Amino acid sequence: MRSPIALAIHGGAGVLKPGRLSEADENEIHAWLYRAISAGHRILETGGASLDAVEACVIQLEECPWFNAGYGAVFTQDGGHELDAAIMGGSDRNAGAIAGARHARQPIHAARQVMEYSEHVMLGGSGADAFLKSRGLQPVDNDFFDTPLRRQQWEEHRHSNGAMALEPTHAEGHKFGTVGAVALDSHGHVAAATSTGGITNKRYGRIGDTPLIGAGTWADDRSAAISATGHGEYFIRAAVAHDIAARMQYGGVDLQTACDAVVHGELKAIGGDGGVIAIAPNGDTCLTFNTPGMYRAWRDEAGTLHTAIYADDDRRHA
Ligand code: ASP
């Protein structure tokens, strides 16, 4: 029997409130979200694998300068970009990740290469870049990832907070911008993928939750696929993605209950802002965040695709 399909993506959570973005910018973001979810949806609808669907969605989001992943990644303290990404399949819990890579054109594809073609789960820094080169992936210069918007944000940030300070994540207009996707395919397998440039002005070598299996990314057919966005240090300390899965697997709770308990309970209790998208093998789909908004898109049970930015936002795409 074919199982139902399900798909959700995010482009980061944050202090996103109506009125800050122009209507034209909002429309552009909705269009990017729709394009990204459509790429994965086509794969799922034609019987393709959830791993391929989440990778396809994230590749699209990595190309979009609005999001903090791939092209459009934030600047580090020393004015460069260090990219983190992870992908995981729920059927066998195989996983691949890169952390602190500087030359991977498509970070999520790089993570998939680590998963498929190395004997390791995670490769970091120059080792990740060297492995990708050995796989025939054309490296790009680090300034390939520069965008005028991120440079301006970085410069403004250093001007008002000091050259060594991290972004104050509660500030009005602050958004995380990491991208991710979760999917359930018609074979009953879930998968998750997440990709990020991290946090503006992060210290050289800082690694967040995104590439850490069990913190920012997790997939297991016995529970759920989860992709997170938010202040990574807190997500690591709360083992967010695995905690959601464990509550389902050991505690027998449903996906929404598990997501609410972790995002609004555990995470909030230690001061962590952000959200998750999650899909269970029965098709349940959750998009849960403790910030005012989260760039996101999802497929409903009838197969309609939706995009949203703010809390009670919902734009249907026929
Ligand atoms: N979680 C990411 C990190 O801490 C940031 C984000 O979600 O935008 O690296």
Side-chain angles (χ1 to χ4, degrees):
M1 201 184 82
R2 280 164 80 90
S3 103
I5 60 171
L7 182 63
I9 65 171
H10 70 78
V15 191
L16 298 160
K17 290 182 183 154
R20 288 194 64 88
L21 289 167
S22 71
E23 205 181 317
D25 288 349
E26 281 180 358
N27 288 339
E28 200 181 313
I29 291 168
H30 279 281
W32 273 102
L33 290 167
Y34 179 63
R35 185 178 316 164
I37 196 167
S38 299
H41 196 217
R42 280 192 292 275
I43 292 172
L44 294 178
E45 277 195 320
T46 50
S50 52
L51 266 174
D52 293 332
V54 293
E55 184 181 354
C57 292
V58 170
I59 284 175
Q60 293 291 322
L61 295 165
E62 286 174 343
E63 294 298 316
C64 172
W66 280 104
F67 304 123
N68 167 21
Y71 181 66
V74 296
F75 281 82
T76 60
Q77 246 168 35
D78 49 1
H81 309 276
E82 295 182 9
L83 312 164
D84 299 340
I87 189 163
M88 185 170 188
S91 62
D92 54 3
R93 282 178 288 153
N94 202 2
I98 57 159
R102 293 174 58 86
H103 303 286
R105 168 86 173 76
Q106 292 174 322
I108 200 63
H109 183 61
R112 180 92 187 251
Q113 292 277 313
V114 172
M115 171 176 144
E116 306 273 3
Y117 300 107
S118 85
E119 58 278 23
H120 305 299
V121 168
M122 184 189 288
L123 291 175
S126 52
D129 287 317
F131 172 72
L132 300 170
K133 214 167 162 190
S134 78
R135 289 289 313 149
L137 263 57
Q138 194 60 38
V140 290
D141 290 339
N142 193 246
D143 62 9
F144 165 84
F145 302 105
D146 285 11
T147 52
L149 176 67
R150 295 290 180 228
R151 181 172 291 283
Q152 184 197 336
Q153 285 173 347
W154 180 59
E155 281 166 1
E156 279 172 10
H157 165 77
R158 287 164 70 89
H159 182 73
S160 42
N161 300 289
M164 302 304 281
L166 271 184
E167 241 174 327
T169 56
H170 296 282
E172 178 76 8
H174 177 270
K175 50 192 174 304
F176 289 101
T178 286
V179 307
V182 287
L184 166 67
D185 65 29
S186 58
H187 316 284
H189 302 310
V190 294
T194 319
S195 178
T196 191
I199 286 186
T200 299
N201 213 38
K202 68 183 181 181
R203 200 178 274 276
Y204 167 67
R206 180 266 187 189
I207 292 165
D209 59 313
T210 298
L212 300 185
I213 302 303
T217 307
W218 182 258
D220 185 344
D221 284 356
R222 297 170 300 179
S223 49
I226 299 120
S227 169
T229 170
H231 197 151
E233 279 68 13
Y234 296 93
F235 281 65
I236 295 170
R237 289 166 52 201
V240 163
H242 187 263
D243 189 8
I244 291 170
R247 282 165 192 267
M248 298 175 72
Q249 194 180 338
Y250 311 138
V253 303
D254 63 30
L255 184 66
Q256 188 68 62
T257 305
C259 289
D260 285 344
V262 174
V263 173
H264 298 295
E266 293 292 326
L267 193 58
K268 207 62 201 165
I270 56 170
D273 295 329
V276 298
I277 53 171
I279 283 179
N282 66 0
D284 282 356
T285 302
C286 292
L287 302 99
T288 305
F289 44 98
N290 63 29
T291 49
M294 179 164 79
Y295 297 129
R296 60 202 186 278
W298 66 98
R299 175 195 195 272
D300 68 21
E301 278 176 27
T304 303
L305 300 177
H306 302 244
T307 58
I309 299 177
Y310 312 112
D312 45 11
D313 208 2
D314 184 353
R315 200 174 281 193
R316 296 167 65 91
H317 300 259

